[in-house]
Amino acid sequence: MAAFGSKTTSEDLQIGIDGETFEVEEMYPAYRDVAKMQKEYAAEVTFRFAWEAEKTHVELFKKAKAGIDEERDPDLGPIRVCEVCGYTMEGEPPEKCPVCKAKKERFKIYAG
Ligand SMILES: [Fe+2]
């Protein structure tokens, strides 16, 4: 069980990395497979979208932790989220979301 708030920022970020990694490597693939087996296609798509978003969360947490561990501000660009599928990214959005193919206008700035 993860505990937040009583550790260093680096330790908290590692907890986040570990949790997101579990979701990417085990949780969402299992959810997706069950949805597929049960022919719940809408759920399968939703879990695939969540799985793709969690992959980006792992990388963003790692980048933030690297900055903290080097005693500098994390070097993160503007963070954008696809409002259709939740795909999260840094920088300028592509013409189409790589996960759900939504147009770039569907990316909203979350932070940055
Ligand atoms: Fe998307």
Side-chain angles (χ1 to χ4, degrees), residues 49 81-87 96-102 106-107:
F49 285 175
V81 178
C82 174
E83 65 182 1
V84 175
C85 72
Y87 178 74
K96 290 187 176 182
C97 175
V99 176
C100 73
K101 310 301 182 212
R106 301 300 298 267
F107 279 88

Side-chain angles (χ1 to χ4, degrees), residues 74-94:
D75 185 23
L76 295 170
I79 305 296
R80 289 184 167 81
V81 178
C82 174
E83 65 182 1
V84 175
C85 72
Y87 178 74
T88 308
M89 58 162 295
E90 281 186 270
E92 294 302 313

Side-chain angles (χ1 to χ4, degrees), residues 2-3 5 13-14 16 22 31 33-34 38 40 43 46 51-54 63 72 74 87-88 95 102 106-107 110:
L13 285 166
Q14 187 60 54
F22 167 76
Y31 287 3
D33 289 349
V34 169
Q38 294 178 336
E40 295 287 348
T46 299
W51 182 54
E52 294 293 343
E54 299 298 356
K63 195 169 181 180
R72 59 175 172 75
Y87 178 74
T88 308
E95 289 300 315
R106 301 300 298 267
F107 279 88
Y110 181 75

Side-chain angles (χ1 to χ4, degrees), residues 13-59:
L13 285 166
Q14 187 60 54
I15 290 169
I17 292 167
D18 293 345
E20 302 285 11
T21 299
F22 167 76
E23 292 175 6
V24 168
E25 294 180 354
E26 296 183 44
M27 192 178 88
Y28 281 114
Y31 287 3
R32 183 199 56 217
D33 289 349
V34 169
K36 186 173 185 176
M37 183 180 66
Q38 294 178 336
K39 301 186 184 334
E40 295 287 348
Y41 299 116
E44 184 182 351
V45 169
T46 299
F47 292 140
R48 183 173 61 82
F49 285 175
W51 182 54
E52 294 293 343
E54 299 298 356
K55 290 179 190 175
T56 62
H57 298 167
V58 171
E59 297 309 314

Side-chain angles (χ1 to χ4, degrees), residues 60-81:
L60 291 169
F61 280 163
K62 285 180 178 176
K63 195 169 181 180
K65 185 177 183 305
I68 295 296
D69 290 347
E70 294 169 12
E71 299 183 355
R72 59 175 172 75
D73 286 337
D75 185 23
L76 295 170
I79 305 296
R80 289 184 167 81
V81 178

